[in-house]
Amino acid sequence: MSDRFTIREATEGDRDEIFEVLKSANMHHIPSLEVPKIDITETFVIEVEKKVVGMCGITMISEFIAKTTLMAVYPHFQGFNLGTMLQFHRMKYVRD
């Protein structure tokens, strides 16, 4: 599976697919008190065969402080370490 995935920064064109992934994890009720918005500029998606199958986000609080936000992967793509790959990707992004 690892040779078929791509992690990249999300674009506005990904918004509907991101919400479908979030819906599969019952995390699509946005805005909410916990998640007032999804900032696409601080969101990453993971694609398998050009289809968004997972997402994660960060919120930069300051130049040196970031907060991880939502992360979800479609249930039928769980168990392939895609969530772990997303987590490592966003941590590397924040460190860089």
Side-chain angles (χ1 to χ4, degrees):
M1 168 87 51
S2 63
D3 60 337
R4 295 176 20 211
F5 76 89
T6 304
I7 298 175
R8 62 173 175 76
E9 293 182 25
T11 66
E12 276 299 324
D14 297 318
R15 189 173 288 277
D16 289 343
E17 289 184 274
I18 289 168
F19 272 89
E20 286 302 312
V21 171
L22 290 171
K23 190 174 184 179
S24 77
N26 198 31
M27 293 193 286
H28 61 291
H29 303 288
I30 299 167
S32 68
L33 290 176
E34 187 175 338
V35 182
K37 67 177 183 155
I38 291 182
D39 185 347
I40 292 294
T41 65
E42 295 181 332
T43 301
F44 302 96
V45 295
I46 188 162
E47 295 178 316
V48 173
E49 298 176 354
K50 307 233 184 242
K51 177 175 175 32
V52 173
V53 299
M55 62 77 62
C56 69
I58 58 168
T59 298
M60 294 304 297
I61 296 169
S62 72
E63 183 180 353
F64 301 106
I65 300 171
K67 175 185 174 193
T68 60
T69 61
L70 297 170
M71 181 187 315
V73 174
Y74 274 128
H76 53 282
F77 283 97
Q78 294 174 4
F80 297 103
N81 293 318
L82 301 184
T84 300
M85 291 180 222
L86 282 166
Q87 178 69 4
F88 280 118
H89 184 84
R90 70 179 169 184
M91 293 294 96
K92 182 180 182 313
Y93 177 86
V94 169
R95 281 193 309 267
D96 292 345

